[in-house]
Amino acid sequence: MNKIITILGLFYSVMFFSQESLKVEYEIVTQSKINWNGFENMKDSYKEEIKRQIKQNDEIPVKYTLIYEKGDSFFYKNLREKSSSLSQEIEYFRIKDKKGYFRLNDFIDEEFYAYYPMDNVSLEYTDETQVIENYTCKLALYKIGDNSTKVWYTEEIPISAGPYNYYGTPGLILKVESKNQLSYATSVSKNFDKKEMKKMDPKLKIYQGEELKKKNAEARENMLNHSKQKADKMMDVIRNK
């Protein structure tokens, strides 16, 4: 009898989530890496203070949201989590008939989309399970080249979606464990404002492959020069005080 109830429960769960849109809230903790490129000559005292602030910020989980609707998905950083006008937007888009995903590349002064076809991804399934937010999840190893990441997905919500670029499992991904980051779902709901499902901006260009590599390098250089100009102005103000 218990087995019948369990099977029926799973059946209705599958029917419920496959027919409806849903919203998943995640909290993400990241261990940041500092790139001193262009700022190697900064005073050690300044570097130590920057390290202290970054470490302090890393200890605070950041809220992200995944919106899923009819095979499309939109994953983004909660706007309330933006700490300053220089905070970069984090947005990932998936379109039902596309194998890969689109990511908004926000370089402060310039925005464009990057498309990643995800041709080099493989999944290795295991029998290990874990209960997350009352859902029984299974562990899979998500491999991109030599990098392997643990993803926990639930077949009780049979949609191919998850945080960032993690998807492709036979169920919603509720937890991701990588070398420098932990992502975990804190709520799953079908009750939300459908206006939250943002579409890609048709005015922004899309780059991929070698063209994307060149565009990223160009945009990073422009952003670095912009940051160095601001840093120089800030140092002039400090010296003149």
Side-chain angles (χ1 to χ4, degrees):
M1 184 63 179
N2 288 336
K3 290 183 178 180
I4 294 174
I5 293 174
T6 300
I7 292 171
L8 285 174
L10 178 60
F11 172 77
Y12 285 119
S13 175
V14 169
M15 291 298 293
F16 177 79
F17 283 106
S18 62
Q19 298 298 322
E20 299 289 340
S21 305
L22 63 84
K23 175 179 181 178
V24 188
E25 300 282 2
Y26 292 90
E27 288 191 357
I28 296 176
V29 179
T30 303
Q31 183 179 347
S32 301
K33 291 184 178 180
I34 303 175
N35 184 353
W36 298 109
N37 184 25
F39 297 92
E40 294 88 351
N41 297 325
M42 181 183 288
K43 288 184 178 180
D44 289 340
S45 59
Y46 293 164
K47 287 184 178 181
E48 289 303 316
E49 176 59 21
I50 291 172
K51 289 178 183 178
R52 186 192 67 79
Q53 291 186 18
I54 290 176
K55 183 178 179 181
Q56 183 177 352
N57 289 335
D58 282 350
E59 294 173 352
I60 303 173
V62 180
K63 298 182 185 301
Y64 285 74
T65 301
L66 172 70
I67 305 294
Y68 175 89
E69 186 174 23
K70 298 178 181 178
D72 295 344
S73 64
F74 169 47
F75 177 77
Y76 65 97
K77 184 178 181 180
N78 194 307
L79 291 176
R80 289 171 294 182
E81 300 292 318
K82 291 189 69 174
S83 57
S84 73
S85 59
L86 293 179
S87 295
Q88 294 169 280
E89 297 279 2
I90 297 178
E91 297 180 351
Y92 287 71
F93 299 85
R94 279 200 63 220
I95 299 174
K96 186 177 181 179
D97 59 352
K98 293 283 186 180
K99 181 181 178 181
Y101 70 94
F102 299 86
R103 174 183 174 178
L104 175 67
N105 281 12
D106 177 11
F107 287 95
I108 309 299
D109 292 328
E110 182 180 17
E111 292 182 339
F112 54 89
Y113 291 115
Y115 177 71
Y116 299 92
M118 301 300 281
D119 293 328
N120 59 340
V121 175
S122 63
L123 281 160
E124 181 180 321
Y125 295 96
T126 76
D127 295 326
E128 191 172 344
T129 62
Q130 184 178 125
V131 176
I132 302 172
E133 288 297 303
N134 295 320
Y135 295 101
T136 299
C137 296
K138 294 181 179 180
L139 172 64
L141 299 179
Y142 195 96
K143 298 181 178 181
I144 302 178
D146 295 330
N147 296 320
S148 181
T149 300
K150 292 182 178 180
V151 298
W152 297 87
Y153 66 96
T154 177
E155 293 176 324
E156 295 172 35
I157 307 177
I159 64 170
S160 177
Y164 294 108
N165 58 311
Y166 296 103
Y167 57 90
T169 52
L172 176 66
I173 295 174
L174 295 181
K175 184 178 178 181
V176 177
E177 298 177 71
S178 63
K179 184 177 179 180
N180 298 309
Q181 192 173 76
L182 172 65
S183 309
Y184 51 93
T186 56
S187 70
V188 180
S189 173
K190 77 179 188 73
N191 297 315
F192 64 95
D193 187 347
K194 297 300 189 291
K195 292 180 181 179
E196 293 184 61
M197 182 59 178
K198 183 178 179 179
K199 301 295 183 181
M200 292 174 62
D201 186 345
K203 297 178 182 178
L204 297 183
K205 291 185 177 180
I206 300 172
Y207 298 88
Q208 69 178 95
E210 291 301 318
E211 189 180 22
L212 173 60
K213 290 180 182 179
K214 292 179 182 179
K215 185 61 182 176
N216 278 336
E218 174 190 312
R220 287 194 191 99
E221 184 66 25
N222 292 337
M223 187 173 71
L224 179 60
N225 291 334
H226 180 79
S227 298
K228 290 174 75 172
Q229 290 173 7
K230 284 202 166 188
D232 291 341
K233 289 181 180 178
M234 186 180 298
M235 291 304 296
D236 289 338
V237 172
I238 293 172
R239 292 191 195 99
N240 293 330
K241 282 187 177 181

